[in-house]
């Protein structure tokens, strides 16, 4: 599934969410299902890196799903594992929000620059007065 890139990572997360949904509706999901998924997708540093690079939002959702499954009593795991999941969540969230903040800052600077140009152009073409109070 990961060979599909971004969509593959999203699909893995979707299936994990569906597993939790099955736990909620049927109560018939054995603990080993979550443990195996955790071992494959979270405990393996290479897999973590691959998921994080492919689709960081899906990876964050996956970590959230594991924490939620535990919180709802569908999955029992060690406190060390829960601590690792919480730490991973914080790291991934910082990475996503950091990237978003950098992109937002660049976008706002570009927008401000464009706004000045557009405003200046509009003031010249419409005969409106600029900040100095003179016709521009």
């Amino acid at each position: 599934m990961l060979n599909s890139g971004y969509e593959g990572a999203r699909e893995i997360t979707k299936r994990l969410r569906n597993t939790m949904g099955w736990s909620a509706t049927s109560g018939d999901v054995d603990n080993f299902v979550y443990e195996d998924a955790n071992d494959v997708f979270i405990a393996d540093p290479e897999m973590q890196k691959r998921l994080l690079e492919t689709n960081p939002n899906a990876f964050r959702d996956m970590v959230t799903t594991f924490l939620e499954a535990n919180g709802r009593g569908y999955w029992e795991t060690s406190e060390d594992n829960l601590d690792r999941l919480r730490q991973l969540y914080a790291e991934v969230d910082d990475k996503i929000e950091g990237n978003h903040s950098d992109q937002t800052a660049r976008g706002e600077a570009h927008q401000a620059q464009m706004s000045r140009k557009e405003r200046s152009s509009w003031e010249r073409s419409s005969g409106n007065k600029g900040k100095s109070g003179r016709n521009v």
Side-chain angles (χ1 to χ4, degrees):
M1 235 182 282
L2 276 177
N3 291 335
S4 298
Y6 181 90
E7 264 318 294
R10 192 177 72 79
E11 184 64 30
I12 293 167
T13 299
K14 189 169 113 180
R15 289 182 185 199
L16 182 61
R17 294 291 281 166
N18 289 342
T19 300
M20 191 176 70
W22 188 250
S23 293
T25 57
S26 74
D28 281 345
V29 178
D30 290 327
N31 201 64
F32 81 86
V33 173
Y34 289 104
E35 280 297 314
D36 286 354
N38 179 70
D39 289 345
V40 169
F41 299 113
I42 303 297
D44 179 2
E46 286 299 313
M47 183 60 77
Q48 278 182 31
K49 181 180 177 194
R50 190 170 174 196
L51 287 166
L52 188 57
E53 290 173 354
T54 303
N55 187 337
N57 289 306
F59 185 64
R60 178 177 58 182
D61 290 348
M62 189 179 299
V63 171
T64 301
T65 302
F66 279 114
L67 290 168
E68 186 176 348
N70 175 262
R72 291 177 180 238
Y74 306 143
W75 175 46
E76 293 180 19
T77 191
S78 70
E79 195 59 40
D80 286 343
N81 192 39
L82 291 172
D83 288 343
R84 181 178 59 204
L85 287 166
R86 290 181 196 109
Q87 180 64 35
L88 268 175
Y89 180 87
E91 290 171 11
V92 175
D93 196 52
D94 286 348
K95 178 179 172 49
I96 291 169
E97 295 304 321
N99 286 343
H100 178 71
S101 295
D102 291 346
Q103 291 170 356
T104 300
R106 284 192 301 272
E108 287 173 353
H110 179 71
Q111 185 178 22
Q113 183 180 16
M114 292 300 293
S115 295
R116 282 192 297 269
K117 287 179 183 176
E118 290 170 352
R119 185 174 53 244
S120 177
S121 174
W122 177 78
E123 288 171 346
R124 278 194 302 275
S125 66
S126 65
N128 288 322
K129 297 180 181 181
K131 288 182 182 178
S132 66
R134 297 178 296 173
N135 281 336
V136 182

